[in-house]
């Protein structure tokens, strides 16, 4: 048994910290884009819009049914063989695109579930006072669905943050890529991976505090 | 209509394909000591120095792109990088697809074991019935599979960290080039030992896409390598990182 090289770990902290903004950037942009896309997909499915509904079903099935790594490779290395212009897309953009597509498929399903979970009487009440379908969705259904969906969506966001670690396969040096390269130079695998694990953990914990606040806020209307 | 869209896409593709790139985009793993690795966030190693010296000769800029090893050839093929500097060995399969410069490293394949096992495993013949780690997509995998008794070897491909898994005893040995193996044993804290003599000559060179721009760039880089060999720079880089000159054919070096 050898002791942990604490001094080395300490030296790694500023190195890994330098990559935190990139990881957060990729996760945040993907999250916002995925939320918007997922909400649209869910609405298409709930309202059973003809044709579109079938397209969305296939989209969700594909992006839930194949691993994120496969999707990233397919898009980044595979498709450019046919569509050359895709090579102009850089790794960060491709990673964001992949994360967005992948997680929007999951999120669409949890948003759909949350929408369907809103009691039927709410729809009927809104319709009885003459609200249009879009008003009904925007003012009555989605705010209630948001509250139900929030914890699962937050879980997907956490997954997304960790999913950014795959970006290294697309040539983006993010936190995990940086740790891997440092470990390859020092052979102190335990120290390097421990430091990066602690970083991810700290980020997710910080977000969990935010999540608890958000849930309190969303739950205000029904709090007793 | 469809034709228009198609030709627009094609035109866009042709337009964005790098013609005479003045920035050579070099892909490497950044995780292959001592050829390409990172310390304190600084990319360094034999390949880094080599590419900088080449760029100085050709008058180009060099841009390093690091990604996991398994993505490198795909990135070269799809035009995201112009070459791979990661001890890429010339193989017939690769030659059919890419064009190579002249070799700049001559080396041998080496069996490495956990320290203490080198009396038991003494070379490729003693790998029968054993588990052996190789880097995914590396030529060492192919080399092992071509051994006459390959079906008796449990070959395991890894994305990274074959040294660590051998030291931990998860596999009986790993196969890598002799030069980096020796450096890993010397520089790392891992308990590893060379098992027997190197068993095959390998030649490393830089691959380029087999198109007009790729060939032109290859010729330019190849000329630079000739100069660097003649003026001793290449030998210097080799001595700096490997404590030996591995840039000449093995027969010539003796």
């Amino acid at each position: 048994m050898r002791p942990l090289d604490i001094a080395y770990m300490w030296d790694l902290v500023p190195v890994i910290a330098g990559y935190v903004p990139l990881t957060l950037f990729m996760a945040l942009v993907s999250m916002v884009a995925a939320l918007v896309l997922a909400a649209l997909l869910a609405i298409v499915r709930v309202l059973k819009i003809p044709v579109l509904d079938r397209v969305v079903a296939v989209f969700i099935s594909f992006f839930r049914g194949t691993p994120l790594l496969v999707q990233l490779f397919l898009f980044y290395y595979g498709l450019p063989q046919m569509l050359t212009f895709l090579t102009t897309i850089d790794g960060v953009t491709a990673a964001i695109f992949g994360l967005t597509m992948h997680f929007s498929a999951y999120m669409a399903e949890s948003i759909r579930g949350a929408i369907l979970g809103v009691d039927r009487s709410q729809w009927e009440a809104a319709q009885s006072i003459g609200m249009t379908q879009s008003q009904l969705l925007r003012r009555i259904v989605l705010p209630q669905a948001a509250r139900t969906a929030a914890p699962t969506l937050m879980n997907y966001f956490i997954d997304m943050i960790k999913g950014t670690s795959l970006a290294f396969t697309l040539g983006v040096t993010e936190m995990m890529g940086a740790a891997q390269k440092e470990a390859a130079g020092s052979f102190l695998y335990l120290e390097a991976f421990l430091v990066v694990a602690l970083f991810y953990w700290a980020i997710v914990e910080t977000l969990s505090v935010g999540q608890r606040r958000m849930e309190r806020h969303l739950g205000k209307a029904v709090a007793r | 209509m469809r034709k228009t869209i198609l030709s627009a896409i094609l035109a866009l593709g042709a337009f964005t394909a790098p013609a005479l790139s003045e920035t050579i985009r070099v892909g490497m793993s950044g995780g292959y000591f001592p050829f390409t690795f990172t310390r304190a966030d600084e990319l360094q190693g034999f390949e880094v120095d080599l590419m900088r010296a080449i760029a100085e000769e050709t008058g180009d800029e060099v841009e390093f792109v690091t990604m996991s090893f398994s993505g490198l050839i795909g990135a070269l093929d799809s035009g995201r990088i112009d070459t791979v500097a990661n001890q890429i060995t010339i193989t017939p399969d690769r030659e059919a697809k890419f064009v190579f410069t002249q070799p700049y490293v001559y080396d041998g394949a080496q069996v490495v074991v956990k320290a203490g096992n080198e009396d038991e495993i003494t070379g490729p013949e003693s790998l029968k019935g054993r588990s052996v780690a190789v880097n995914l997509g590396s030529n060492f995998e192919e080399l092992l599979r071509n051994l006459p008794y390959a079906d008796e070897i449990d070959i395991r491909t890894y994305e990274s960290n074959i040294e660590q898994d051998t030291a931990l005893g998860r596999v009986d040995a790993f196969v890598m080039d002799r030069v980096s193996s020796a450096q890993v044993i010397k520089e790392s804290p891992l308990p590893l030992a060379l098992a027997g003599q190197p068993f095959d000559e390998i030649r490393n060179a830089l691959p380029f896409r087999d198109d007009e721009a790729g060939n032109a760039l290859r010729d330019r880089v190849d000329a630079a390598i000739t100069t660097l060999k003649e003026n001793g720079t290449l030998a210097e880089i080799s001595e700096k990182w490997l404590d030996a000159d591995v840039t000449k054919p093995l027969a010539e070096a003796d």
Side-chain angles (χ1 to χ4, degrees), chain A residues 11-221:
Chain A
D11 287 344
L12 275 190
V13 168
V15 174
I16 304 292
Y19 291 94
V20 171
L22 177 62
T23 291
L24 284 181
F25 171 78
M26 288 194 289
L28 279 172
V29 174
S30 313
M31 184 66 185
V32 172
L35 261 182
V36 173
L37 182 58
L40 292 174
L41 297 176
I43 289 170
V44 167
R45 296 233 64 195
V46 168
L47 300 181
K48 297 203 170 63
I49 299 171
V51 189
L52 264 187
D53 184 38
R54 293 314 307 151
V55 175
V56 169
V58 171
F59 176 91
I60 290 176
S61 165
F62 178 79
F63 282 100
R64 281 206 312 172
T66 51
L68 177 57
L69 185 61
V70 174
Q71 293 161 15
L72 291 175
F73 269 45
L74 191 61
F75 178 71
Y76 197 70
Y77 299 118
L79 280 182
Q81 290 202 321
M82 197 188 279
L83 308 168
T84 345
F85 69 94
L86 281 179
T87 54
T88 55
I89 292 168
D90 63 19
V92 175
T93 315
I96 289 173
F97 181 80
L99 287 167
T100 301
M101 299 300 236
H102 185 80
F103 282 96
S104 69
Y106 283 97
M107 290 169 157
E109 288 297 277
S110 58
I111 294 176
R112 185 172 75 102
I115 291 177
L116 294 177
V118 174
D119 201 278
R120 208 61 219 168
S121 63
Q122 301 275 319
W123 294 71
E124 285 158 6
Q127 274 161 344
S128 74
I129 59 168
M131 276 195 182
T132 63
Q133 197 149 49
S134 92
Q135 284 176 325
L136 174 161
L137 274 175
R138 216 173 50 233
R139 296 191 192 162
I140 309 292
V141 178
L142 286 181
Q144 295 185 58
R147 194 181 130 256
T148 324
T152 19
L153 293 181
M154 197 62 193
N155 254 342
Y156 288 131
F157 185 41
I158 287 169
D159 261 0
M160 214 174 225
I161 291 170
K162 294 183 288 185
T164 57
S165 62
L166 291 176
F168 188 47
T169 57
L170 308 187
V172 180
T173 302
E174 37 59 66
M175 282 164 54
M176 184 58 198
Q180 257 181 296
K181 289 195 288 181
E182 295 289 343
S186 67
F187 296 93
L188 296 170
Y189 300 98
L190 177 58
E191 283 82 350
F193 296 146
L194 199 54
V195 169
V196 80
L198 291 174
F199 262 96
Y200 280 113
W201 191 12
I203 291 172
V204 170
E205 266 311 294
T206 312
L207 284 167
S208 301
V209 175
Q211 178 186 1
R212 284 192 282 277
R213 287 221 183 111
M214 183 183 71
E215 280 175 16
R216 264 205 303 279
H217 175 75
L218 288 170
K220 251 188 209 154

Side-chain angles (χ1 to χ4, degrees), chain A residues 19 76 81 87 181-182 185, chain B residues 39-41 66 77-78 80 161:
Chain A
Y19 291 94
Y76 197 70
Q81 290 202 321
T87 54
K181 289 195 288 181
E182 295 289 343
Chain B
R39 265 195 200 148
D41 217 14
T66 49
D77 192 37
S78 59
R80 289 211 165 75
N161 308 338

Side-chain angles (χ1 to χ4, degrees), chain B residues 32-35 46-47 86-90 103-112 139-140 143 175-184 194 196-205 238 242 244-253:
Chain B
Y32 191 55
F33 183 82
F35 288 89
F46 178 99
E47 305 280 6
N86 204 101
Q87 272 220 298
I88 298 298
T89 296
I90 305 173
Y104 61 88
V105 163
Y106 296 84
D107 200 353
Q110 175 73 49
V111 180
V112 183
N139 64 299
F140 299 109
L143 208 144
V175 173
M176 205 162 74
D177 68 280
R178 186 184 57 87
V179 179
S180 357
S181 302
Q183 285 299 312
V184 167
L194 300 178
Q197 295 300 309
F199 63 97
D200 203 18
E201 193 193 60
I202 52 178
R203 296 171 303 140
N204 303 138
S238 178
L242 312 165
D245 183 7
V246 297
T247 62
K248 293 178 184 72
L250 296 186
E252 217 178 291

